[in-house]
Amino acid sequence: MTDLLGLFSLRRRSIAVRLAVSAFLSSSAILLIAAWILTTLYRENTERAFDSRLLVFTNNLATDLVSPNDPESRTFSLGDPRFDLPLSGWYWQVGKPDAKPRDVRTSRSLVGVPLPPATDSEGKAGVGQIRQGYGRAQDGRLLRIMERDVDLGEEGRYTVRVAGPADEIVNDVDRFRNSLTITFGLLGLSLALTTLLQIRFGLAPLKKMRAALGAVRRGEADRITGTYPRDIAPLTGEVNLLIETNREILERARTQVGNLAHALKTPLSIIVNEVGASDAPEELAQKIREQAAVMRDQVNYHLDRARAAALAGTLGTSTEVEPALAGLVRTFGKIYRDKDIAYDVHVPPGLRFRGERQDFEEMVGNLVDNASKWAHARVAIRAEAVTKADYPHLVVAIEDDGPGLPPEARQAVLGRGRRLDESKPGSGLGLSIVADLATLYRGRFTLEQAALGGLRAVLEVPGDAPVGTTTH
């Protein structure tokens, strides 16, 4: 289960991470297998070289054994002083397989206990054949042992056995393994650096393409430009075609919305004018004018919503927040000049909203208007960029020092045309328009308690952080 989760998480990683991890795993496996094979081969070669030395001593003893001298007067000399040094690790012995220890001839270095056989009873070879293996000396030292049987006819069969310290083999193999580890470690580091350079070089066109798409999304370019490798050049062409198609569809939607607005508003204007010119009772005329105004507001509302729905997914459309907010503050400062409201605005330079300027001003304008309408003396506006799930968002918070709203009433005012206080002018569509537009842009609109004491409206929509700004 853990392996499946690890594989699934790797699939969601970037291409660079996937390539780096796969290269690391494959290179590590190859280096480990190669190190094991080389160490095994080196150990075999070292054992073979050590056995060759023991074989020379074994053959020399066998030659001395088959000499025509009297068995009691035979002398065995290998010409190596290590066989004369007690417990040196280099030993030899000659004797019959069933001979007692006192009847066995040994080197001076072998003190007390005879040498163990090179193999067990099931691994014995025939007369004249060589046997080798490992055994322990009386001091516990590991020995490499070689032996052969020599048949002397009437004298019987003798076993010649020579041993040397296996420490030489072990130490030699350990030195080789350490050198191999250092060499392969440096080789692995070189492979890792080379792989990272290859990944960086190979994925550079994708990084360039991502930057070009970001420029289109931010409205800095209307299409992907530049030269790309043959592998991804068709993809850039398809994306450019998609952008052009999207732009054409949106242009047709704008035209249709405009035609529909003209088709609906003109009859309404004619009805109002005809009622004013007719002899209809004033009460009836006033009622028709009121309902026509309501219809005009509803038509404007739904047409604006349809236009925003068509433009919400537009590629390459963005609005700079700072100048848009500055214009709104100047406008509402003049509208509510009699209240002498202090507007406190905090907006990072370069912050952008990914959408139409008209939609941004529609949303924020309704919120500033509502805050100014209920504020006593102060309205605070703060905008910032945040990142959620690796996706940039723009958060605009507008709060006032007015009476505020209880929690149960905050959701009610978002209903279309719902007004909790008829003493203030307006159609009651403002906050519902903000909520609808925020939803169309896949954003969020909430009402909270303000630190100033009144209402705090929080609008969260797609956005882009200023260049060099760290989002949170």
Side-chain angles (χ1 to χ4, degrees), residues 217-218 220 319-322 346-353 383-387 392-395 463-472:
R217 176 173 54 82
R218 292 189 298 271
E220 300 171 0
T319 301
E320 193 168 354
V321 174
E322 189 176 24
H346 295 277
V347 183
L351 192 62
R352 305 185 74 86
F353 161 67
E384 61 179 342
V386 300
T387 298
H393 286 74
L394 166 67
V395 177
D464 287 306
V467 177
T469 301
T470 301
T471 60
H472 59 277

Side-chain angles (χ1 to χ4, degrees), residues 102 131 202 232 319:
R102 65 174 179 269
R131 300 184 295 272
I232 62 174
T319 301

Side-chain angles (χ1 to χ4, degrees), residues 9-10 13-23 199 203:
S9 61
L10 180 60
R13 298 288 184 181
S14 66
I15 297 177
V17 173
R18 289 161 62 98
L19 291 175
V21 171
S22 59
I199 292 174
L203 296 182

Side-chain angles (χ1 to χ4, degrees), residues 110-167:
L110 188 59
V111 180
V113 180
L115 289 173
T119 57
D120 55 21
S121 58
E122 297 179 356
K124 287 185 177 180
V127 176
Q129 294 183 356
I130 304 300
R131 300 184 295 272
Q132 62 268 345
Y134 289 94
R136 292 285 179 181
Q138 57 183 333
D139 57 356
R141 192 174 187 181
L142 184 63
L143 300 175
R144 180 67 174 174
I145 303 172
M146 178 174 289
E147 64 181 32
R148 65 177 298 181
D149 294 332
V150 179
D151 191 355
L152 297 183
E154 296 180 356
E155 292 186 35
R157 185 163 60 93
Y158 284 81
T159 299
V160 179
R161 190 172 294 154
V162 181
D167 296 346

Side-chain angles (χ1 to χ4, degrees), residues 391-433:
Y391 195 75
H393 286 74
L394 166 67
V395 177
V396 181
I398 302 173
E399 56 183 275
D400 59 74
D401 60 350
L405 281 176
E408 61 273 9
R410 293 171 192 165
Q411 190 62 33
V413 297
L414 298 181
R416 188 184 314 153
R418 180 70 185 275
R419 300 176 59 193
L420 299 183
D421 191 345
E422 299 292 339
S423 64
K424 300 291 183 180
S427 62
L429 293 173
L431 296 183
S432 62
I433 290 175

Side-chain angles (χ1 to χ4, degrees), residues 37 61 74 81 115 131 194 252 279 300 311 367 428 438 443 449:
I37 293 175
L61 291 174
R74 289 191 184 105
L115 289 173
R131 300 184 295 272
T194 303
R252 287 198 299 268
D279 296 332
N300 290 333
L311 299 178
L367 297 180
Q449 178 67 35

Side-chain angles (χ1 to χ4, degrees), residues 43-87:
R43 183 182 185 89
E44 292 178 355
N45 290 332
T46 303
E47 286 183 347
R48 192 176 297 112
F50 196 81
D51 289 344
S52 298
R53 296 161 61 189
L54 295 179
L55 182 60
V56 172
F57 296 135
T58 303
N59 290 336
N60 288 340
L61 291 174
T63 300
D64 292 339
L65 182 63
V66 298
S67 64
N69 298 332
D70 182 71
E72 298 297 331
S73 61
R74 289 191 184 105
T75 59
F76 299 93
S77 177
L78 297 179
D80 193 323
R82 291 176 295 182
F83 289 100
D84 296 328
L85 184 63
L87 300 178

